[in-house]
């Protein structure tokens, strides 16, 4: 299988947090907005936003009063920017150029030597507000065009020229976060960030002493690496891999989550980087993240292992040898749908290697994978199906899958996407190919000694899967038929339906032509006088009286047609020498059809006359006509009349019609089982069902 359905990897926007003083947050608290928010309230907010923008535009200086005003204004605007409904208003009020201006330190005043008031704080607040505005994709380019990237990159450099202070770290962190949001799913801005030289500084920040700065830098690199080959290559060239691999081992869940995210985006669709990542020693720490307390890290690690597993067969084996299988299987039981999806994705890749297939099954992977087939998530369903497709390639897994009901699960599943349906169909064909030799012997052993429910599962599966040459051994010699018939007599409607469907499938495979599908061949060769002699007095030597009317016939034709007429005209009966023979119990139109068959060997039968004609054919031992009647009647079998049709077949020993009734009952059992008389009918037909299958399965295989 060439294509796998997986969740599309997306770069995550950083969650930007406001670090402003509590009093500022309270003073400029945003009123809750709803459909009843008044126009006046909105206008008040707009005026407040404009006031803060005006303050920024008028306070770009090193004066203490201006620095204090700018700090408060950036803090208030950051608070406003957290409300999505106000973002457009802020942009309309000119917040972007004002905030961009304050990403840089103002020019020093004459004679100024010491640090500025709120040094780094104003820049930090501006970066925070711009990052929040960039959450809306339509504002990303506006912010970049205003010159924000150059200043943000300069902020990243500040860690080189300052102590590890909270203010510096905050400014650097918010600059990295703003770059993350600006570049989110915007390939042009990702390229601009690289051109501005940000990547090398972000890689350096991975080794920063402040873990929050590390996380922010990793988050930015994760976004920049997503679907951008030039950025990926530069990140690797800047020697980011050793640090990222070390971050994978961090006990800080936020650190290893960002690190595995960066690596995941780096290796995606980049085989050369995937190789470099493995050479850097990422495999074992990624496997370790499968047991992380952070489900997001687990999810990313599982996805990354799936990508590693596509590299080559050796890598698939190494992943399993290093202990990935058990935690991946445990993840299949999670309540997190995406986590289960990624685990199934990784296992699906691993299951394409022969030795891994047995290991996944041995560690208990089959049952949770089968349960995932009931998922309402199309990708999750498909990943589980793809993994099972790989597992059944190993003969050692086939019996185990059938034993736990896997065949029925695959057969009865309701699959959401066509790709999954195709995968399941391939799995069924692969199973069918495996049912021979030691696999078949194992299944026959289970069918003999296992618990009753397992015996039934095996018999049900073999009804579909075993080869034609093995059917007699499986179902007659090894009592598989008894198990299927036992299902029909069980008290469970589900089991009865399963048994009936399996028996019908077995019947369709055991016989190439059914009575219901084609008219029978004409009886053995005999004399046919032809259509022109039907009820023709020419050369007639016997006359039948039917409903008071004469029907002219010819003894030679009648003698050749059946034993009944031979006994009538060549035996000791009174009709032997009679010129006129009275027919008291057959209608004229029925008798005429019967005679037309005798004279021509064929006849078109109307369903309205078919039962009366069957009675006449049975009475006069016209087997060919009888089979034609049975074929016609069989076309009219329905849920409502099948019981009567079966009685009819018993009354006239109509074996072809009886078999048609049996097949109809098996095929339509899900509808029949709702009828109050169905259980009685099933009990009644059981001996005939057994005889039918013993005859059908006991025949030599037909080659078609």
């Amino acid at each position: 299988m060439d294509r796998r359905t997986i969740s599309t990897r997306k770069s995550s926007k950083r969650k930007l947090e406001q670090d402003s003083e509590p009093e500022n947050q309270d003073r400029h608290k945003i009123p809750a907005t709803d459909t009843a928010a008044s126009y006046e309230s909105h206008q008040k907010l707009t005026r407040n936003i404009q006031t803060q923008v005006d303050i920024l535009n008028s306070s770009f200086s090193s004066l203490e009063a201006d620095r204090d005003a700018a700090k408060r204004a950036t803090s208030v605007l950051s608070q406003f920017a957290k409300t999505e409904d106000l973002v457009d208003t802020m942009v309309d009020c000119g917040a972007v150029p004002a905030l961009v201006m304050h990403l840089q330190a103002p020019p020093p005043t004459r004679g100024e030597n010491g640090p500025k008031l709120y040094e780094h704080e104003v820049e930090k607040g501006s970066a925070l507000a711009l990052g929040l505005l960039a959450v809306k994709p339509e504002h990303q380019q506006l912010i970049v065009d205003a010159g924000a990237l150059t200043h943000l990159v300069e902020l990243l450099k500040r860690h080189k020229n300052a102590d590890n202070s909270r203010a510096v770290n905050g400014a650097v962190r918010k600059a990295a976060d703003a770059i993350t949001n600006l570049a989110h799913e915007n390939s042009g801005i990702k390229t601009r960030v690289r051109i501005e030289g940000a990547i090398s500084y972000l890689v350096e920040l991975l080794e920063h002493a402040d873990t929050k700065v590390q996380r922010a830098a990793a988050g930015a690199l994760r976004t920049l690496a997503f679907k951008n080959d030039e950025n990926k290559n530069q990140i690797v060239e800047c020697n980011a891999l050793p640090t990222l691999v070390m971050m994978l081992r961090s006990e800080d869940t936020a650190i290893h989550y960002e690190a595995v995210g960066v690596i995941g985006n780096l290796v995606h669709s980049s085989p050369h980087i995937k190789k470099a990542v493995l050479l850097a020693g990422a495999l074992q720490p990624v496997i370790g993240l499968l047991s992380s307390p952070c489900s997001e890290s687990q999810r990313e690690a599982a996805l990354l292992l799936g990508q590693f597993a596509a590299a080559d067969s050796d890598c698939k084996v190494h992943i399993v040898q290093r202990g990935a299988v058990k935690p991946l299987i445990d993840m299949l039981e999670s309540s997190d749908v995406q986590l289960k999806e990624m685990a199934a994705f990784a296992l699906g890749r691993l299951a394409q290697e022969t030795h891994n297939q047995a290991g996944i099954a041995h560690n208990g992977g089959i049952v949770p994978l089968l349960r995932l087939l009931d998922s309402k998530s199309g990708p999750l369903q498909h990943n589980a199906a793809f993994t099972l497709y790989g597992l059944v390639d190993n003969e050692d897994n086939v019996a185990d899958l059938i034993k736990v009901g896997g065949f029925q699960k695959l057969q009865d599943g309701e699959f959401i996407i066509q790709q999954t349906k195709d995968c399941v169909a391939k799995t069924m064909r692969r199973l069918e190919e495996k049912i021979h030799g030691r696999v078949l012997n194992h299944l026959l052993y289970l069918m003999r000694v296992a618990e009753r429910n397992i015996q039934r599962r095996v018999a049900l599966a073999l009804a579909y899967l075993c080869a034609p040459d093995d059917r007699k051994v499986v179902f007659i010699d090894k009592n598989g038929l008894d198990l299927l018939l036992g299902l029909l007599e069980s008290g469970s409607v589900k089991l009865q339906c399963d048994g009936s469907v399996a028996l019908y499938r077995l019947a369709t495979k055991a016989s190439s032509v059914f009575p219901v599908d084609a008219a029978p061949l004409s009886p053995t060769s005999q004399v046919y006088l032809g259509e022109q002699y039907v009820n023709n007095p020419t050369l007639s030597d016997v006359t039948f009286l039917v409903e008071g009317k004469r029907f002219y016939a010819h003894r030679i034709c009648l003698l050749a047609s059946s034993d009944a007429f031979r006994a009538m005209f060549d035996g000791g009966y009174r009709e032997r020498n009679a010129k006129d023979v009275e027919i008291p119990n057959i209608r004229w139109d029925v008798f005429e059809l019967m005679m037309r068959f005798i004279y021509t060997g064929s006849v078109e039968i109307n369903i309205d006359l078919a039962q009366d004609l069957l009675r006449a054919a049975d009475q006069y031992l016209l087997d060919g006509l009888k089979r034609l009647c049975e074929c016609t009647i069989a076309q009219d079998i329905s849920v409502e009349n099948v019981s009567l049709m079966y009685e009819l077949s018993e009354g006239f020993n109509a074996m072809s019609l009886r078999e048609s009734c049996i097949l109809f009952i098996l095929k339509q059992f899900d509808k029949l089982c709702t009828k109050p008389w169905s259980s009685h009918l099933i009990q009644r037909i059981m001996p005939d069902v057994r005889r039918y299958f013993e005859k059908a399965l006991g025949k030599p295989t037909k080659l078609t």
Side-chain angles (χ1 to χ4, degrees), residues 203 205-207 214 239-248 259:
V203 172
L205 291 171
L206 294 177
E207 299 185 26
Q214 293 177 33
N239 202 31
L241 292 183
T243 306
L244 288 169
V245 171
M246 292 304 298
M247 292 170 69
L248 292 175

Side-chain angles (χ1 to χ4, degrees), residues 18 20-29 79 82:
Q18 170 69 332
S20 302
E21 293 84 0
E23 63 269 21
N24 285 342
Q25 293 183 358
D26 293 338
R27 187 181 305 165
H28 299 282
K29 187 175 181 180
Q79 189 69 16
K82 291 182 178 181

Side-chain angles (χ1 to χ4, degrees), residues 64-295:
E64 288 190 12
D66 286 341
R67 293 297 285 171
D68 182 69
K71 180 181 181 299
R72 291 179 179 276
T74 56
S75 176
V76 172
L77 289 174
S78 298
Q79 189 69 16
F80 282 143
K82 291 182 178 181
T83 303
E84 187 174 349
D85 291 342
L86 296 179
V87 168
D88 290 340
T89 302
M90 290 178 64
V91 171
D92 292 340
C93 288
V96 169
L99 289 166
V100 169
M101 179 171 60
H102 283 271
L103 286 174
Q104 58 189 318
T109 59
R110 181 177 300 177
E112 182 181 13
N113 294 319
K116 298 180 177 63
L117 182 67
Y118 301 127
E119 188 170 19
H120 312 298
E121 294 287 347
V122 177
E123 294 90 326
K124 170 188 168 184
S126 296
L128 171 60
L130 288 168
L132 290 167
L133 294 178
V135 168
K136 281 199 168 184
E138 59 267 32
H139 300 322
Q140 291 170 335
Q141 195 62 50
L142 175 67
I143 296 170
V144 170
D145 291 343
L149 281 182
T150 301
H151 300 315
L152 289 170
V153 173
E154 288 298 319
L155 285 177
L156 296 179
K157 298 179 186 178
R158 290 195 179 184
H159 78 98
K160 290 176 171 290
N161 304 318
D163 296 330
N164 185 28
S165 69
R166 178 182 176 186
V168 172
N169 294 346
V172 171
R173 187 170 76 251
K174 295 309 176 187
D177 288 344
I179 289 173
T180 299
N181 277 11
L182 285 169
H184 179 71
E185 295 188 352
N186 191 315
S187 58
I189 294 178
K190 288 177 185 177
T191 299
R192 288 279 299 274
V193 172
R194 182 181 74 252
I195 294 171
E196 292 283 349
I199 288 178
S200 62
Y201 297 111
L202 289 167
V203 172
E204 288 179 15
L205 291 171
L206 294 177
E207 299 185 26
H208 198 279
D210 188 330
T211 57
K212 291 183 179 180
V213 174
Q214 293 177 33
R215 286 158 44 192
L221 290 171
R222 177 178 184 166
T223 296
L224 295 172
F226 183 62
K227 293 184 178 180
N228 192 301
D229 291 339
E230 292 82 1
N231 285 0
K232 290 181 186 181
N233 291 332
Q234 188 171 113
I235 292 169
V236 174
E237 290 165 5
C238 289
N239 202 31
L241 292 183
T243 306
L244 288 169
V245 171
M246 292 304 298
M247 292 170 69
L248 292 175
R249 299 180 182 275
S250 172
E251 294 184 3
D252 185 331
T253 57
I255 293 290
H256 64 233
Y257 167 68
E258 293 294 359
V260 74
V262 179
I263 293 174
N265 282 352
L266 286 173
V267 306
H268 182 64
S269 301
S270 300
H272 67 289
I273 296 180
K274 186 184 302 182
K275 183 176 180 180
V277 167
L278 290 170
L279 289 173
L283 183 55
Q284 195 60 54
V286 170
I287 292 173
L289 290 183
L290 296 177
S291 302
S292 167
C294 172
S295 62

Side-chain angles (χ1 to χ4, degrees), residues 22 90 104 229 258 313 318 328 382 398 489-490 502 569 617 660:
M90 290 178 64
Q104 58 189 318
D229 291 339
E258 293 294 359
S313 183
H318 293 160
L328 285 171
H382 179 74
V398 172
E489 296 180 295
S490 74
F569 295 113
S660 294

Side-chain angles (χ1 to χ4, degrees), residues 283-326:
L283 183 55
Q284 195 60 54
V286 170
I287 292 173
L289 290 183
L290 296 177
S291 302
S292 167
C294 172
S295 62
E296 292 177 334
S297 295
Q298 289 181 298
R299 186 164 62 240
E300 291 288 341
L303 176 57
L304 190 51
L305 287 175
Q307 292 172 322
F308 286 161
D312 55 62
S313 183
D314 286 344
C315 190
K316 292 183 177 72
V317 174
H318 293 160
I319 291 170
V320 172
Q321 288 175 337
R322 292 174 180 233
V325 169
K326 191 64 172 69

